[in-house]
Amino acid sequence: MLDTNYIVAIDLGTSRLSGVVGEKLANGNISVIAKETVEAPGCFLRGHIHNQTEAAAQMQVLIGKLEDCLKKSFQDNYKNVKITGAYIGVNDLLLRSLEQKQSESFHIPGSVTERDIQEMTGRCEAYKPQEYNILGTTAPMWYLDDRFVSNPLGAYCEQRIEARFKAIVGPPASQLNAITHGIELKDCLISLQTLAEIALSQSDKEKGCAFVHLGRYVTSVAVYKTDELYDFVVIPLGSHLITKDLAAYLEADEAIAEDIKVKYGIVSQEYTDINQMIPVETKTGTKEVALGDIGAVIESRAREIIGNVYARIQGIIESFGGIEKLEAGFILTGNAAKLKNLTTMIKERYESNVRISSVPETYAQLDKPYISAVSVMLKGENNCVSYEKIPVEAPPSDPKGPKGPPVPKKKISEKMMDLFQNAFITD
């Protein structure tokens, strides 16, 4: 019997695989004992594993690295350490959402009961067609006789009740099994949802918020209200477009443009020294470029991305009564969220609360690439590592038996006294 359950979680990111191994402690915290990343560019595209051969190869490299870390940690206690399973977190490019609906006819007009709602909700959650790998569903939006109602309980329905929801679709199970060949796929989870569990407070999800992951190639948005996920969209616009725009404007390589974006990236020119000049290595040599010009390029694309986010979730926002009803506002995550003045631009443009997401102190010490993987690990329950305990060898025993305590040597005066006393002992 194994002493400890070690959970393995692997996050399939846009261009890298991140893996962690750890154990859950009795106090609810976690102990991460191994973490590794490998680059996997071009492997994932639009809901599918685009290059299965390369993805599988990089997965094996990651598993090997994690096993090496474990062997070093366990060398005095365990042997034959091997990763046998993993929980997989799916991100951005591998996700898409499909609009679905379930309906029921009312043969006799009347009020909607709790049982009606439970039955319809159960049908939405159980929706798992064979042709799709459904990883989750959003909370249903209710329509009575084609009329939207925020709360159907007790409302009058004449002919039909309908629940409209979104099914969140991941890559086909066959593709996931192909790249994880040799280890058991314990479960497949939506990374943005697991990340929300540690990055959003209960109050955020109750009051309502748009949790926005500004990824490299796509932007993912999860809308929460009354502690439920009500909308999930994947928008094919990401921060790499800002990099490409900068590279074209500066006539520089994308690597140079990315460095400039990270170092000088400013969204709103109103809050910076637009006349400050910075040197840029272009394809034709070094030239000076105004910070304001760089900011203008970044701001234009950033406004487009955020504008698309708002437009895509506008319907769900209006059903709640407007953006002001999402009281916690926009909560941003992802590397592009660090662009200077981005939160200010959103606040002024959409008159909404906005902030950069943070994680509890328990996870704050982890490097950024591993946060999503750790959030997936927290959902794991079953052991993913096989090992054998090294027996503790007992010290060698003495063939003559155990020795008693040493007998103290007697002084010469004590020896003479013994001889004197023994001389007078008779049978």
Side-chain angles (χ1 to χ4, degrees):
M1 183 177 177
L2 301 179
D3 291 339
T4 307
N5 274 358
Y6 292 104
I7 299 169
V8 178
I10 297 173
D11 185 56
L12 307 184
T14 301
S15 57
R16 68 156 64 103
L17 307 178
S18 302
V20 294
V21 184
E23 60 176 310
K24 292 183 180 178
L25 305 179
N27 61 5
N29 292 333
I30 59 169
S31 173
V32 175
I33 55 178
K35 54 181 180 157
E36 289 288 348
T37 64
V38 296
E39 297 300 315
C43 289
F44 311 121
L45 182 66
R46 296 176 185 172
H48 290 274
I49 299 173
H50 182 61
N51 189 333
Q52 289 187 47
T53 302
E54 181 62 19
Q58 294 307 314
M59 180 69 75
Q60 291 304 310
V61 171
L62 178 63
I63 294 295
K65 286 186 172 184
L66 290 172
E67 286 181 343
D68 289 342
C69 287
L70 290 176
K71 288 170 185 176
K72 290 178 182 177
S73 299
F74 293 163
Q75 60 184 350
D76 295 329
N77 300 306
Y78 305 116
K79 62 180 180 178
N80 298 329
V81 177
K82 185 175 179 60
I83 290 175
T84 57
Y87 290 85
I88 301 295
V90 180
N91 254 312
D92 298 341
L93 284 176
L94 287 169
L95 294 171
R96 55 201 174 105
S97 58
L98 302 176
E99 293 187 357
Q100 302 294 326
K101 60 185 177 181
Q102 296 285 337
S103 62
E104 188 69 44
S105 296
F106 270 44
H107 300 294
I108 301 175
S111 298
V112 177
T113 66
E114 183 71 36
R115 182 178 178 182
D116 294 327
I117 294 173
Q118 288 179 353
E119 286 182 356
M120 292 292 290
T121 302
R123 285 166 59 180
C124 294
E125 293 173 349
Y127 176 77
K128 301 238 184 238
Q130 291 184 349
E131 62 268 31
Y132 297 119
N133 183 17
I134 306 297
L135 303 183
T137 57
T138 62
M141 306 292 288
W142 299 98
Y143 289 79
L144 304 182
D145 302 321
D146 295 324
R147 175 176 48 86
F148 170 75
V149 293
S150 58
N151 182 6
L153 183 61
Y156 179 77
C157 181
E158 189 168 321
Q159 293 183 325
R160 190 172 74 154
I161 179 173
E162 183 176 86
R164 300 178 187 177
F165 64 100
K166 286 187 176 180
I168 306 169
V169 181
S174 59
Q175 292 186 3
L176 289 171
N177 287 324
I179 69 168
T180 57
H181 179 67
I183 65 172
E184 180 186 357
L185 179 59
K186 297 287 187 180
D187 200 0
C188 189
L189 303 163
I190 302 166
S191 293
L192 190 62
Q193 270 191 292
T194 60
L195 183 60
E197 292 295 314
I198 62 174
L200 303 182
S201 67
Q202 191 72 24
S203 175
D204 291 332
K205 290 185 283 187
E206 282 285 351
K207 292 179 178 179
C209 68
F211 189 41
V212 183
H213 180 255
L214 297 166
R216 185 176 180 183
Y217 294 106
V218 298
T219 298
S220 302
V221 186
V223 178
Y224 287 89
K225 182 71 173 177
T226 61
D227 199 27
E228 291 191 276
L229 176 66
Y230 268 93
D231 200 11
F232 185 92
V233 294
V234 179
I235 301 167
L237 297 172
S239 64
H240 84 294
L241 292 175
I242 297 175
T243 302
K244 290 177 75 70
D245 290 349
L246 273 178
Y249 175 76
L250 299 171
E251 298 180 336
D253 292 334
E254 286 193 14
I256 298 292
E258 179 68 20
D259 288 342
I260 289 173
K261 181 184 75 175
V262 171
K263 189 173 182 179
Y264 300 103
I266 296 176
V267 171
S268 177
Q269 299 180 62
E270 298 176 20
Y271 301 93
T272 187
D273 182 2
I274 62 175
N275 296 317
Q276 179 183 346
M277 305 297 289
I278 62 170
V280 177
E281 289 294 330
T282 71
K283 294 177 180 179
T284 57
T286 303
K287 68 178 182 182
E288 298 283 317
V289 181
L291 196 57
D293 293 339
I294 291 173
V297 174
I298 293 174
E299 181 176 0
S300 176
R301 184 66 79 172
R303 285 184 178 276
E304 179 191 9
I305 294 172
I306 298 300
N308 269 272
V309 168
Y310 184 82
R312 291 291 293 272
I313 64 175
Q314 192 168 17
I316 195 86
I317 288 173
E318 288 176 351
S319 71
F320 292 139
I323 188 67
E324 66 275 7
K325 294 300 181 180
L326 293 179
E327 295 177 48
F330 288 88
I331 301 176
L332 311 180
T333 185
N335 287 333
K338 299 176 184 176
L339 288 171
K340 297 180 182 68
N341 298 330
L342 177 62
T343 55
T344 302
M345 183 269 285
I346 294 173
K347 184 178 291 186
E348 292 179 350
R349 171 66 180 82
Y350 299 103
E351 298 181 349
S352 170
N353 293 324
V354 58
R355 74 171 196 268
I356 307 298
S357 70
S358 59
V359 296
E361 289 255 344
T362 311
Y363 317 111
Q365 75 277 12
L366 291 167
D367 298 332
K368 194 75 174 179
Y370 301 109
I371 296 294
S372 287
V374 167
S375 72
V376 172
M377 190 188 83
L378 286 167
K379 291 294 184 181
E381 295 291 342
N382 300 317
N383 183 60
C384 301
V385 179
S386 67
Y387 54 88
E388 296 177 27
K389 192 170 184 179
I390 299 175
V392 178
E393 295 184 4
S397 58
D398 189 339
K400 296 180 180 180
K403 296 180 180 180
V407 179
K409 292 184 177 180
K410 294 184 177 182
K411 298 178 182 179
I412 294 177
S413 58
E414 291 174 332
K415 291 180 180 180
M416 293 299 293
M417 181 62 70
D418 288 343
L419 288 172
F420 180 76
Q421 288 176 344
N422 290 336
F424 293 95
I425 297 174
T426 60
D427 293 335

